[in-house]
Amino acid sequence: MGRADRAVIDPEAQGRGLEVLIDVEVSATDRKTFEEFEDTVASFEEVIEFRRMYGRPDYFLRVAVADHAAYEAFLTGRLSGLPAVLRLGSHLSMKKIKAND
């Protein structure tokens, strides 16, 4: 089997040293609204991981931004204003213990 090489880039070197995990619950029940929400959120450059979940929350996001002010701007200016969003929960990590990426 061939070896798969990949570049590992330091988020802090890119000015994106703050990583936040976000739980998102949506009020949408129709497929069109879900798809529009997913397309919009997937297009945000701050979003580095985006998953639709079983049960609650409906979605899980991992975002990388420069600092707390940049996160507040992202949360209030982009994410919380989307029509489908019902509830958001932000989680800041104290320490990353293990990660494969």
Side-chain angles (χ1 to χ4, degrees), residues 37-80:
F37 172 78
E38 289 176 0
D39 289 345
T40 300
V41 173
S43 75
F44 294 154
E45 71 176 40
E46 298 90 346
V47 176
I48 57 175
E49 185 175 344
F50 184 27
R51 298 174 183 232
R52 186 187 306 172
M53 309 299 288
Y54 286 105
R56 294 285 181 239
D58 299 304
Y59 293 93
F60 169 84
L61 281 71
R62 188 165 55 118
V63 303
V65 293
D67 53 28
H68 288 88
Y71 178 63
E72 181 184 4
F74 170 76
L75 190 68
T76 60
R78 300 183 89 180
L79 190 59
S80 66

